[in-house]
């Protein structure tokens, strides 16, 4: 049967990928019948009403789901569809308590119009008591109006939907994990709503191992642990994990939400210097041996406040004493390991390479990356022969955007080895020494995302004040 999903009116490009990801987690056969980014209404086919309720119980961007009785471009077409498709259902609700609700998206109705619309469904023959609070059944008439319909004086919506209410999504969950109430956060902590959406995209669930290589204060592991996964994380700066070593710590956040059982372990490392074993690509046949993670979730640093860094020394020949000295004092609580500049593009490539080496078959990588809105300055979505792009969701700001990109680790047998060889050759071409040379996003940011021509006209005086990023 067809069901109507009523999405929230935000993060439009995230909504359907999240729904499809949750369907995979819940092992539900989902088929999308119709959907548009310009409308919060999505028609899907599902096996049963129970499957529909199960599907949305952990969706963050879904408001409600309904058993779809009919839809049409006009009210008459809607009534015709209801009579043709659901006559056999009416007898089940003849005597139960019920109520009718009207949901006008981008439009409005007068009280008299609402009563008239509800009365037009009298042919259903419901004879039970009308109860406005907690009835046995709720029937909802949805109207999808054109944008700005009220000031433009538009008198009719562009589409009608009618359905029986089944369940509500997890729109309240972000409030529970709200950063404003969290014990320990930093300036770059991901907000609860998008952290939970990211966890859904990565298929976090009981029995799965999830990892965040840029863990910070733990926003993503907290979201994954809430969905039952066992989480691990690392950060180049161990101080972000330890906090004040009292209550304001990453561990303290897990304790605050009662999910300490989902905290596997946290450690200090960076992606290029990690103790996690990485199996050479193409050396395993069963898709699991040697690869340990079911999902990787992260929001890598953008390198704006300061250039990107990894552990190491810029020029070991000029400072040969640094590494030996570090080996002597690395256990000192105040020890800060030496770091060297890191290419933004190399970081993106390293994330995909790490995921390819550590994710099980069909495991997912979901990570955020920034880009300029100007097509000439846009950073391409990174690719890897072992990683299939599942979805690219975009959160748009004024002059820049950030994308949530989700990949699936494909089995070795499906990998194009020639494409892998070309990728290895391209990775050797990344050059640069300064922070701006190594990070095209940082350079564009401090030039106010102006083109080279615009920059020369303004003598390079960009305006970076509009953004407070990582």
């Amino acid at each position: 049967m067809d069901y109507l999903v009523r999405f929230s009116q935000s993060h439009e490009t995230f909504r359907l990928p999240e729904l499809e990801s949750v369907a995979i987690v819940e092992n539900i056969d989902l088929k999308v019948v119709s959907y548009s980014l310009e409308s919060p209404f999505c028609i899907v086919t599902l096996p049963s009403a129970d499957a529909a309720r199960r599907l949305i119980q952990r969706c963050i961007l879904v408001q409600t789901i309904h058993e779809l009785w009919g839809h049409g471009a006009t009210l008459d077409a809607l009534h015709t569809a209801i009579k043709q498709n659901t006559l056999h259902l009416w007898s089940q609700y003849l005597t139960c308590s019920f109520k009718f609700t009207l949901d006008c998206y981008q439009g409005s109705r007068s009280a008299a119009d609402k009563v008239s619309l509800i009365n037009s469904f009298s042919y259903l023959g419901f004879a039970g008591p009308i109860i406005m609070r907690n009835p046995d059944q709720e029937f909802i008439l949805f109207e999808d109006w054109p944008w700005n319909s009220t000031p433009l004086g538009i008198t009719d919506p562009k589409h009608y939907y009618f359905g029986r209410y089944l369940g509500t999504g997890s729109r309240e969950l972000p409030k529970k994990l709200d950063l404003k109430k969290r014990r320990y956060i930093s300036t770059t902590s991901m907000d609860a709503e998008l952290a939970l959406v990211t966890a859904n995209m990565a298929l976090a669930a009981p029995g799965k191992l999830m990892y965040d290589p840029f863990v910070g204060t733990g926003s993503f592991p907290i979201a994954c642990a809430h969905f039952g996964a066992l989480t691990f994380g690392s950060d180049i700066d161990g101080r972000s994990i330890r906090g004040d070593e009292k209550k304001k710590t990453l561990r303290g956040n897990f304790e605050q939400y009662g999910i300490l059982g989902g905290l596997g372990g946290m450690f200090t490392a960076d992606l290029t210097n990690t103790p996690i074993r990485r199996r050479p690509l193409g050396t395993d046949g069963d898709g699991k041996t040697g690869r340990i993670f079911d999902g990787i979730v992260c929001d890598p640093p953008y390198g704006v406040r300061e250039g990107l860094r990894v552990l190491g020394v810029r020029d070991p020949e000029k400072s040969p004493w640094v590494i030996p000295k570090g080996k002597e004092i690395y256990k000192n609580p105040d020890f800060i390991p030496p770091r060297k500049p890191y290419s933004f593009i190399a970081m993106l490539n390293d994330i995909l390479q790490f995921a390819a080496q550590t994710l099980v078959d069909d495991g997912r990588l979901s990570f955020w990356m920034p880009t300029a809105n100007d097509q000439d300055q846009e950073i391409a979505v990174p690719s890897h022969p072992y990683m299939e792009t599942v979805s690219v969701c975009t959160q748009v700001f004024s002059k820049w955007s950030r994308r949530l990109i989700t990949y699936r680790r494909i089995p070795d047998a499906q990998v194009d080895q020639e494409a892998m060889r070309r990728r290895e050759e391209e990775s050797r071409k990344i050059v640069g020494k300064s922070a701006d040379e190594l990070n095209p996003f940082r350079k564009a940011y401090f030039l106010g995302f102006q083109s080279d021509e615009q920059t020369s006209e303004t003598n390079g005086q960009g305006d970076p004040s509009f953004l407070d990023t990582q």
Side-chain angles (χ1 to χ4, degrees), residues 126-421:
F126 297 160
I130 298 173
I131 299 177
M132 301 309 292
R133 180 174 293 182
N134 298 323
D136 295 330
Q137 300 293 336
E138 180 179 0
F139 297 89
I140 303 180
L141 172 62
F142 295 96
E143 294 182 336
D144 190 357
W145 290 75
W147 182 79
N148 221 21
S149 58
T150 300
L152 292 176
I154 298 173
T155 57
D156 295 300
K158 58 185 179 182
H159 211 86
Y160 295 86
Y161 304 88
F162 182 76
R164 181 174 69 92
Y165 168 81
L166 295 177
T168 301
S170 291
R171 293 293 296 157
E172 295 298 312
L173 182 55
K175 296 179 182 178
K176 176 184 175 182
L177 304 182
D178 190 355
L179 292 182
K180 294 178 181 178
K181 302 174 185 176
R182 188 170 299 174
R183 187 179 296 170
Y184 174 52
I185 63 171
S186 71
T187 55
T188 59
S189 296
M190 180 64 69
D191 72 82
E193 181 179 53
L194 291 177
L196 289 162
V197 170
T198 305
N200 272 336
M201 299 285 203
L203 312 183
K208 292 193 174 184
L209 302 182
M210 310 297 288
Y211 174 62
D212 181 353
F214 307 93
V215 70
T217 60
S219 290
F220 292 120
I222 287 169
C224 293
H226 176 83
F227 291 130
L230 182 62
T231 63
F232 297 83
S234 63
D235 201 283
I236 191 172
D237 189 346
R239 294 172 297 181
S240 66
I241 299 172
R242 297 189 296 270
D244 65 1
E245 300 188 19
K246 297 176 183 177
K247 287 188 176 182
K248 292 183 177 181
T249 64
L250 188 151
R251 179 186 175 89
N253 286 340
F254 276 77
E255 292 174 342
Q256 178 182 351
Y257 298 120
I259 52 174
L260 195 55
L263 177 60
M266 303 290 164
F267 54 93
T268 302
D270 70 39
L271 204 62
T272 62
N273 296 275
T274 175
I276 296 174
R277 274 184 238 157
R278 288 171 286 178
R279 194 179 184 94
L281 294 174
T283 59
D284 59 310
D286 62 3
K288 293 183 179 179
T289 303
R291 295 190 256 135
I292 59 175
F293 295 124
D294 297 286
I296 297 173
V297 288
C298 60
D299 182 22
Y302 304 160
V304 171
R305 291 196 183 102
E306 58 182 34
L308 292 172
R309 304 276 176 174
V310 290
L311 298 178
V313 182
R314 185 197 294 263
D315 191 341
E317 294 182 1
K318 289 184 178 180
S319 308
W321 57 271
V322 174
I323 292 179
K325 187 64 176 178
K327 291 179 179 180
E328 294 177 11
I329 63 172
Y330 75 95
K331 291 186 178 181
N332 188 324
D334 297 326
F335 172 69
I336 299 176
R339 304 175 189 181
K340 62 181 180 181
Y342 190 28
S343 163
F344 181 77
I345 302 301
M347 178 184 69
L348 299 180
N349 289 335
D350 286 343
I351 292 172
L352 268 76
Q353 180 74 1
F354 178 86
Q357 292 177 311
T358 59
L359 284 175
V360 300
D361 283 358
D362 296 320
R364 285 199 174 186
L365 162 67
S366 291
F367 79 93
W368 292 81
M369 66 163 280
T371 186
N373 291 338
D374 187 331
Q375 291 185 354
D376 294 334
Q377 299 176 327
E378 183 180 9
I379 300 174
V381 173
S383 62
H384 192 290
Y386 281 78
M387 305 296 293
E388 176 188 60
T389 303
V390 175
S391 63
V392 179
C393 308
T394 306
Q395 183 184 25
V396 180
F397 301 107
S398 61
K399 295 184 180 180
W400 70 291
S401 303
R402 62 179 178 180
R403 298 166 172 157
L404 173 59
I405 311 173
T406 299
Y407 302 84
R408 178 181 73 92
R409 209 297 189 177
I410 62 176
D412 287 3
Q414 299 176 15
V415 174
D416 183 346
Q417 293 301 329
E418 177 59 24
M420 188 63 199
R421 184 188 63 78

Side-chain angles (χ1 to χ4, degrees), residues 4 7 16 31-36 41-44 71 161:
L4 181 68
F7 286 115
L16 188 58
K31 295 179 181 177
V32 179
V33 177
S34 68
Y35 175 64
S36 168
F41 303 112
C42 176
I43 299 177
V44 299
H71 65 99
Y161 304 88

